[in-house]
Amino acid sequence: MKLQRMNRRALTLGALAVSGALALTACGSDDNGGSGNSTSSSTANAGSAVCGDAKKGQQLLADGSSAQKNAIDAWVKAFSTACGVQINYKGGGSGAGVTSFNQGQLAFAGSDSALKPEEVTASKQVCSGGQGIDLPMVGGPIALGYNVPGVDNLVLDAPTLAKIFDSKITKWNDAAIKKLNPSATLPDLKIQAFHRSDESGTTDNFTKYLIATTPDNWKYSGGKAWQGKGGQSAAGSAGVAAGVKQTSGAIGYFELSYVADGVKAVSINTGAAAPVAPSTDSATKDIAAAQVVGTGNDLTLKLDYNTKAEGAYPITLVTYEIICDKGNKAATLPATKAFLTYIASEDGQKVLSTIDYAPIPDAIITKVRSTIASIS
């Protein structure tokens, strides 16, 4: 089953890459000098409608959010095929991405948390005459994936989640879980709660939800580093998801696209008429209510973790691409700008909903496109 799942994902990403490449090729310059060259060659030329001034053979290094890596992988395949640009996105976590960006090592970084004031200050050392800005590009639900034999439709709420991840509820047949799942057969099984070992924007967003909804049960300050007591740790969303899949009685938090065979996703009791399962639609309903709170070219969003709107999933994240508004390196700016332009485009955003991510709402992504056009 695991192999089949991997094959399905590979086929999905491959199909997306091909269709994306064809879309990009179709948008490329049709000026091939009458030589009969293929359209894929023309898209690599300077002046291509999508590839911009990016030149074939250019290389970009990026790092950051592991939550968006599946989206980046699909985008990179399409863009690289059309434009001949090599993009190496490590996906080492939001903390690693921000640190490396502010050390001048990356063309852009991905982070599930917006830059902090001190990080913006640090970015001015590498953004000549400018600073790092946050561009919301990928949305999605943070799923609570679980592996509990015999339990197919688990419902939890914020207080119960807080107690589980702080080692205050330790068995799956605990009374609080039974109350939320009266028809389920809950086993007398130890809970194995997995969290991130690396600094993570996914951790930051998950704990922001707990702080906003159940402060009496989650009394930590929050941030990218895990603060709860006990549990098991793993690196990256993929590491946490693997730990849950391999461990009976496990639960962990990660982006929805990492939910795979052997792992099911918790539905959240928000106080609405019915519990809400994580999906691209339920996440979009929450993200659509977000407010832009950044200043200038920065487009940081404020999410509503305490929503009770019908069908709105409350534990969402937005991954930002971090770039200098001014003072980007001349060698990498053309390719970086072209790639960001593509992923913010209508075609780029359409890819997201096919691989368990949520596109950024129109009102916000329109501002992102304008900002990308102005970076220098």
Side-chain angles (χ1 to χ4, degrees):
M1 292 295 290
K2 181 176 180 181
L3 180 59
Q4 291 174 349
R5 172 76 179 192
M6 291 173 66
N7 288 338
R8 288 198 301 271
R9 180 175 296 283
L11 289 171
T12 299
L13 293 180
L16 288 167
V18 172
S19 62
L22 291 174
L24 291 176
T25 299
C27 294
S29 170
D30 57 9
D31 179 14
N32 57 20
S35 63
N37 291 338
S38 68
T39 53
S40 62
S41 296
S42 70
T43 59
N45 295 333
S48 163
V50 172
C51 301
D53 293 327
K55 296 179 181 179
K56 186 175 181 179
Q58 282 190 297
Q59 298 183 9
L60 299 179
L61 179 63
D63 194 7
S65 164
S66 66
Q68 72 165 355
K69 192 172 189 310
N70 290 334
I72 290 286
D73 286 348
W75 281 331
V76 165
K77 284 188 178 183
F79 186 79
S80 295
T81 299
C83 302
V85 175
Q86 298 178 39
I87 303 174
N88 179 9
Y89 183 82
K90 293 182 178 180
S94 298
V98 172
T99 297
S100 295
F101 179 81
N102 280 343
Q103 292 174 345
Q105 298 175 8
L106 307 177
F108 68 93
S111 176
D112 306 323
S113 299
L115 292 168
K116 297 178 181 178
E118 61 270 23
E119 292 169 338
V120 173
T121 299
S123 74
K124 295 179 181 180
Q125 300 299 312
V126 296
C127 301
S128 179
Q131 65 180 48
I133 56 173
D134 302 284
L135 301 178
M137 202 71 75
V138 182
I142 300 174
L144 277 302
Y146 69 96
N147 178 1
V148 182
V151 181
D152 294 327
N153 299 293
L154 184 67
V155 175
L156 297 174
D157 59 11
T160 306
L161 282 167
K163 292 173 184 177
I164 286 172
F165 280 90
D166 204 25
S167 299
K168 293 177 181 175
I169 291 179
T170 59
K171 290 290 189 72
W172 280 111
N173 62 350
D174 186 271
I177 302 177
K178 284 184 176 180
K179 185 176 180 180
L180 291 165
N181 300 273
S183 61
T185 302
L186 297 165
D188 183 12
L189 179 65
K190 182 180 179 181
I191 296 174
Q192 307 280 356
F194 279 81
H195 59 264
R196 291 282 289 271
S197 60
D198 52 324
E199 289 203 349
S200 160
T202 310
T203 294
D204 191 15
N205 282 276
F206 175 49
T207 55
K208 279 179 179 176
Y209 161 75
L210 296 177
I211 292 168
T213 55
T214 184
D216 290 343
N217 293 299
W218 194 262
K219 299 184 178 181
Y220 302 100
S221 60
K224 294 176 184 176
W226 181 254
Q227 297 171 319
K229 295 179 181 177
Q232 301 187 49
S233 64
S237 292
V240 174
V244 173
K245 283 190 288 186
Q246 296 165 8
T247 308
S248 180
I251 185 171
Y253 57 90
F254 35 80
E255 198 278 326
L256 182 60
S257 67
Y258 289 93
V259 174
D261 294 323
V263 176
K264 300 177 178 68
V266 171
S267 293
I268 303 298
N269 182 341
T270 65
V276 185
S279 69
T280 57
D281 288 342
S282 63
T284 297
K285 287 184 180 180
D286 186 53
I287 296 171
Q291 297 178 331
V292 176
V293 295
T295 58
N297 286 326
D298 186 88
L299 296 176
T300 298
L301 301 179
K302 182 179 181 181
L303 298 171
D304 183 6
Y305 298 102
N306 207 15
T307 182
K308 292 179 175 58
E310 298 298 330
Y313 186 78
I315 318 176
T316 58
L317 61 76
V318 169
T319 294
Y320 302 94
E321 310 311 331
I322 296 170
I323 186 76
C324 298
D325 58 353
K326 298 177 182 178
N328 290 281
K329 294 178 181 178
T332 57
L333 177 60
T336 303
K337 194 168 180 177
F339 179 66
L340 294 179
T341 298
Y342 161 58
I343 68 178
S345 71
E346 183 176 351
D347 286 341
Q349 288 290 298
K350 281 181 179 177
V351 170
L352 295 177
S353 59
T354 67
I355 49 175
D356 295 329
Y357 291 94
I360 301 299
D362 288 343
I364 299 171
I365 203 66
T366 298
K367 295 178 181 179
V368 171
R369 293 167 187 156
S370 297
T371 301
I372 292 169
S374 71
I375 63 176
S376 61

